[in-house]
Amino acid sequence: MAAAQQILFIQGGGAGTHDDWDDKLVDSLRRALGGGYEVRYPRMPDEGEPGYAQWGRAIRRELADLADGAVVAGHSVGGTILVHALAEQPPERTLAAIVLIAAPFVGRGGWPGEEFELPGDLGARLPRDVPVHVFHGLDDETAPPSHADLYARAIPQAQLHRLPGRDHQLNDDLRAVAEAICPVRP
């Protein structure tokens, strides 16, 4: 019997996000994927004040516990910090996919922020031959949809998924994300 494919889901930032907001995203993803997947959903430290130093360390610990062929996904600032951590120090394990969900782009053209500003050569720094999916709701009032275009420029190999009628939480419906992940098998 084959082991379940692991998916690491990094929450967004804000007080109560793990239990009151992003848990709905994780539940939706689990339902949409069905069996054969193990969705890991760790609580990030000091979720109300996300910082690269603390969250980056926590993400690297989680990455170290994954098996080869895992999918990593991050919502909102969790996605921003995840992709920064992957670019700064690629994981030792082989990844099946990187998924960013409503992630604000921090850097030129996006939000200011020196602590985890994304490098201009972001795509070249990510693990080679790993599919990157960028999902963004076109009705997102938290992270502007234009940030998805900034990711597409910084990560030329990324597949951009613009979702009409979806808000920052993608209306708590990650079926589109599950469809992108399902064909990704180790």
Side-chain angles (χ1 to χ4, degrees):
M1 184 174 179
Q5 183 174 13
Q6 296 173 321
I7 299 171
L8 174 63
F9 190 98
I10 303 299
Q11 70 175 80
T17 296
H18 186 275
D19 294 337
D20 298 331
W21 289 94
D22 284 3
D23 61 322
K24 295 169 186 67
L25 295 175
V26 171
D27 289 345
S28 171
L29 184 60
R30 285 181 174 136
R31 279 191 312 275
L33 288 171
Y37 295 88
E38 174 195 347
V39 181
R40 296 179 174 204
Y41 180 45
R43 182 183 304 277
M44 289 292 104
D46 197 10
E47 69 180 349
E49 294 292 328
Y52 180 72
Q54 244 186 333
W55 280 40
R57 277 192 304 275
I59 289 169
R60 279 189 276 285
R61 278 192 304 272
E62 293 294 332
L63 290 169
D65 287 341
L66 296 174
D68 282 332
V71 173
V72 294
H75 176 246
S76 192
V77 73
T80 306
I81 295 174
L82 171 66
V83 76
H84 189 285
L86 290 170
E88 184 179 82
Q89 182 180 345
E92 293 180 18
R93 302 288 190 191
T94 301
L95 298 177
I98 300 166
V99 180
L100 305 180
I101 304 165
F105 188 89
V106 178
R108 186 174 179 184
W111 287 353
E114 293 176 19
E115 185 184 9
F116 49 89
E117 184 168 332
L118 298 167
D121 61 344
L122 180 60
R125 292 181 182 213
L126 293 176
R128 296 178 61 84
D129 301 320
V130 175
V132 179
H133 295 274
V134 177
F135 290 86
H136 215 104
L138 295 181
D139 290 345
D140 190 335
E141 294 181 0
T142 303
S146 62
H147 285 214
D149 298 319
L150 296 171
Y151 275 108
R153 278 196 286 267
I155 310 171
Q157 69 271 31
Q159 291 183 306
L160 187 55
H161 306 265
R162 293 180 184 90
L163 304 175
R166 301 290 192 87
D167 61 14
H168 188 62
Q169 296 294 121
L170 299 189
N171 300 5
D172 295 326
D173 181 355
L174 294 189
R175 284 180 293 183
V177 173
E179 289 171 12
I181 290 171
C182 280
V184 178
R185 290 289 183 178

